[in-house]
Amino acid sequence: MTRPPPAAQSPSPPSPDRTRLPHGNGRSQRARRARGNGIALLLVVAGALLGWALPAAERHLPAPALDFDAATAQATLAAIAGGMITLAGFVVTAITLVVQTVQTMSPRLVAALGHFSRHLVLFGLLIGTALYALVTLSQVRGEHVPRFTVTIAVGLVLVDAVTVLYLLASLRHAVTGGGLARAVGIRLRQVVDGTCPAEAEHPPAPGPAVRTGTSVPVVRRGPPAVVLAVDEPRLTKLAARHDLHVQLLYAVGEFTGDGAPVARVDVKGELDPRTVRQVAACVRYGPGRTMEQDSSYGLRLLADIAIRALSPAVNDPATAVQALDHVEEGLVQLAGRPLGPVRLLDDRGVPRVSCPAPEWADFVSLALDETLLYGSSNPQVVRRLRALLDRVAAAAPEHRRQPLTERRDALDRLSDGALPDPLLRRVAARPDPQGLGGRSPSPSPAADG
């Protein structure tokens, strides 16, 4: 097929640097993980302390309780402690099996979703209840039976049972491709709202900051790693306080090595080495990408789910269609928003930090190209892709439709080559939001543009 000459194409105009206020602090995922660990530890310690303190306080504060004698109380507390320890082991086994299942969809999903921090809290609750029962058991001596304390232990069993049932029920969604795609899609929408806000949500910039004088590189020292996040508020305030302009050279999600310059600081006079270290500390690194400030990584994970489902070993096009549902929502959300490099504004509206970021064509390629390649031989996936392209094209402005048109043309070529039977080609030519079995959407004038 002869390609049209460059003059016949209508490429998208280059996106000017967009501006917005700083978002987040670059530490929220680490804070959530630390909070989950802290709550689990607190529950364990609280169980031991309450088991020690309540029996002593009960002598002076009589309270209604179940009627236990010493032998019954000891048997009850021993059964509770043993049962909670056994149940904690069962929860660990269940989580391990779920992690192994999730990794078959994509090894990146477990770390990206942070799905299992709340199950650590459940583990702390179970072990805390076991410690509470064991410490209380040591307080049952002779005729002294802390009946109220034993009654609390029975109540904790009910709380633990309800919590275990609730969280185990939620795990069934984590072991399906559709459930994982839904979790990624929900998180993706939140990240897009923070990193790519609508144009009306940020003030206009008064113009580029003056960048005359010295340009100082910020060199990273440490093992090779991925840029996880940037503490945007801290970096912007630091640049405003010292009258700097910081240009980050790596986008969130990119890999960098030891000795690589990760930023450039423009300053009118001399720059204190301490300030350079503070700028470097605003960029966080880790062994793998996360979705904290990386909206393109959400599309990467959805594409992973789709292409794994389309592999010959799995052969599950219905799961690929479920992943494409959330790919479509993500692209529709991005279609009308300013994308590309971004300048962060300080409190006075002066651009202080320049950050590289993907353009619209990059998002489209990441979300669709691999699924186009591996799904072109399946009528269900082809139909779902056609419906996706039509809807995204209807939501996208005119200058952003060319990448979608290119994918539609590629889909036609790939599906025609992979489906030699005329019936299957005719079936695959129909857009269908359900893949197979759904109604044909009404053609949109925008989709034909």
Side-chain angles (χ1 to χ4, degrees):
M1 181 176 178
T2 305
R3 293 182 177 272
Q9 300 182 6
S10 54
S12 302
S15 300
D17 284 4
R18 55 192 173 102
T19 58
R20 63 170 172 84
L21 297 174
H23 171 73
N25 60 9
R27 292 192 177 95
S28 55
Q29 186 178 43
R30 183 168 56 182
R32 284 196 301 271
R33 187 182 302 114
R35 185 166 59 247
N37 296 343
I39 293 174
L41 180 61
L42 179 63
L43 288 172
V44 173
V45 174
L49 291 178
L50 285 175
W52 173 78
L54 274 182
E58 187 177 336
R59 297 180 179 182
H60 309 287
L61 299 172
L66 298 175
D67 189 14
F68 289 98
D69 58 27
T72 305
Q74 290 173 338
T76 301
L77 292 171
I80 290 174
M84 292 303 102
I85 292 174
T86 302
L87 191 57
F90 170 74
V91 170
V92 171
T93 302
I95 293 174
T96 302
L97 292 175
V98 170
V99 169
Q100 292 175 346
T101 303
V102 170
Q103 286 179 330
T104 62
M105 300 300 298
S106 172
R108 292 175 284 273
L109 280 168
V110 177
L113 293 177
H115 223 44
F116 306 103
S117 60
R118 58 182 178 178
H119 297 89
L120 181 62
V121 175
L122 171 61
F123 182 80
L125 177 63
L126 295 173
I127 297 299
T129 301
L131 281 177
Y132 175 85
L134 288 173
V135 175
T136 302
L137 181 61
S138 69
Q139 305 294 313
V140 181
R141 301 187 186 95
E143 295 300 322
H144 174 60
V145 180
R147 293 181 175 86
F148 179 71
T149 306
V150 178
T151 303
I152 292 296
V154 174
L156 286 175
V157 172
L158 178 61
V159 172
D160 291 355
V162 172
T163 307
V164 167
L165 289 175
Y166 173 76
L167 290 182
L168 288 182
S170 69
L171 282 179
R172 65 180 180 176
H173 300 293
V175 298
T176 64
L180 291 171
R182 181 165 54 253
V184 174
I186 292 172
R187 186 73 186 114
L188 175 60
R189 288 192 290 274
Q190 297 170 348
V191 175
V192 169
D193 284 337
T195 59
C196 305
E199 193 168 3
E201 294 178 4
H202 56 80
V210 178
R211 291 183 287 175
T212 58
T214 308
S215 181
V216 180
V218 178
V219 178
R220 178 177 181 270
R221 297 299 179 189
V226 172
V227 179
L228 293 185
V230 177
D231 192 341
E232 295 180 356
R234 179 185 173 192
L235 183 58
T236 304
K237 290 178 182 178
L238 181 67
R241 183 165 63 248
H242 296 282
D243 193 21
L244 311 174
H245 183 274
V246 180
Q247 182 177 359
L248 299 176
L249 303 180
Y250 285 84
V252 173
E254 292 185 353
F255 183 84
T256 179
D258 182 25
V262 296
R264 187 171 63 243
V265 180
D266 296 324
V267 61
K268 295 180 181 178
E270 293 295 327
L271 186 60
D272 186 358
R274 181 167 175 250
T275 304
V276 176
R277 291 194 297 270
Q278 291 175 333
V279 170
C282 293
V283 183
R284 287 201 303 110
Y285 305 91
R289 296 170 70 179
T290 70
M291 288 182 62
E292 200 59 50
Q293 295 179 358
D294 192 355
S295 52
S296 62
Y297 193 45
L299 293 173
R300 171 69 271 162
L301 294 174
L302 291 171
D304 280 351
I305 295 172
I307 62 178
R308 284 294 179 97
L310 293 171
S311 66
V314 179
N315 195 23
D316 183 13
T319 294
V321 167
Q322 290 178 303
L324 288 173
D325 291 341
H326 297 282
V327 169
E328 178 182 290
E329 289 301 315
L331 291 177
V332 168
Q333 187 182 16
L334 289 165
R337 303 198 178 203
L339 301 174
V342 59
R343 293 182 294 165
L344 306 179
L345 309 178
D346 63 15
D347 295 337
R348 296 180 295 132
V350 178
R352 291 295 182 182
V353 181
S354 298
C355 306
E359 299 278 2
W360 168 247
D362 301 322
F363 284 114
V364 173
S365 177
L366 173 62
L368 299 178
D369 286 356
E370 291 171 308
T371 309
L372 285 172
L373 177 62
Y374 298 118
S376 58
S377 61
N378 189 284
Q380 181 177 183
V381 177
V382 174
R383 287 159 65 100
R384 183 63 186 92
L385 283 167
R386 293 189 189 281
L388 181 153
L389 290 168
D390 288 345
R391 186 181 173 213
V392 177
E398 181 67 33
H399 67 275
R400 287 186 172 172
R401 291 178 187 162
Q402 180 186 338
L404 303 171
T405 301
E406 292 173 345
R407 269 71 190 178
R408 187 184 293 111
D409 294 341
L411 182 60
D412 291 338
R413 294 191 298 269
L414 289 169
S415 61
D416 286 348
L419 298 171
D421 187 83
L423 174 62
L424 292 180
R425 284 203 300 269
R426 189 167 67 250
V427 170
R430 173 185 174 187
D432 187 343
Q434 292 186 19
L436 282 173
R439 61 178 179 84
S440 295
S442 301
S444 170
D448 299 330

